Amino acid sequence: MEEPKQDVREKVEGECQKGMNPHLPADPCDSKPDNMAPELVLKVRIHGSKENDFIEIELHRQELSYQGLLQVCCCELGVRPEQVDKMRKLPNTLLRKDKDIQRLRDFQEIEVLVKSRNSEWT
């Protein structure tokens, strides 16, 4: 039985490192594709709701902000912005500012924590 001439991973790593900027990641999975979609797709739901399923929303990558995410979530989930207490990237990271939103990646799961009349989450 013949041995493979070169491991597949070694071949991919070698091709990625030829003529590339040494400051960029060598692993092709770590680099962004050239044809990245103009929208960021996120999965959102209301925390503790009877409806346990997520819905997908799109945000323009050039306009990623906390207020933009809040506005789209509220519109899609049928809640008012003043009802939202917190937004959380699952499993346990609060989203607080624009930079937090700009670090999000496609298909990450976001929960919107909504205040009830008793100041408790619903």
Side-chain angles (χ1 to χ4, degrees), residues 103-119:
R103 284 190 288 266
L104 294 173
R105 298 292 170 238
D106 280 328
F107 302 104
Q108 286 190 301
E109 297 174 342
I110 308 295
E111 273 191 340
V112 176
L113 289 82
V114 179
K115 300 176 201 173
S116 73
R117 294 180 198 157
N118 301 344
S119 298

Side-chain angles (χ1 to χ4, degrees), residues 4-14:
K5 293 181 181 178
Q6 188 176 19
D7 184 78
V8 175
R9 181 161 176 85
E10 288 174 15
K11 183 178 179 181
V12 171
E13 287 176 357

Side-chain angles (χ1 to χ4, degrees), residues 28-108:
C29 296
D30 290 341
S31 59
K32 293 181 183 177
D34 292 334
N35 59 354
M36 182 182 289
E39 297 93 18
L40 172 67
V41 179
L42 298 172
K43 297 165 54 174
V44 298
R45 70 178 177 192
I46 297 176
H47 172 75
S49 172
K50 291 178 184 176
E51 180 59 54
N52 201 27
D53 293 331
F54 288 90
I55 62 169
E56 291 182 355
I57 62 168
E58 296 85 23
L59 297 172
H60 290 284
R61 290 186 192 274
Q62 300 301 319
E63 303 169 7
L64 292 178
S65 68
Y66 182 88
Q67 287 301 319
L69 175 61
L70 178 64
Q71 181 180 6
V72 172
C73 285
C74 288
C75 180
E76 294 288 337
L77 295 171
V79 298
R80 294 190 316 269
E82 56 272 9
Q83 291 177 290
V84 175
D85 186 39
K86 299 175 184 179
M87 289 191 291
R88 174 172 57 201
K89 178 180 77 167
L90 294 180
N92 58 2
T93 304
L94 288 179
L95 299 172
R96 304 172 296 131
K97 55 189 176 185
D98 291 349
K99 285 192 175 190
D100 296 342
I101 308 309
Q102 292 163 4
R103 284 190 288 266
L104 294 173
R105 298 292 170 238
D106 280 328
F107 302 104
Q108 286 190 301

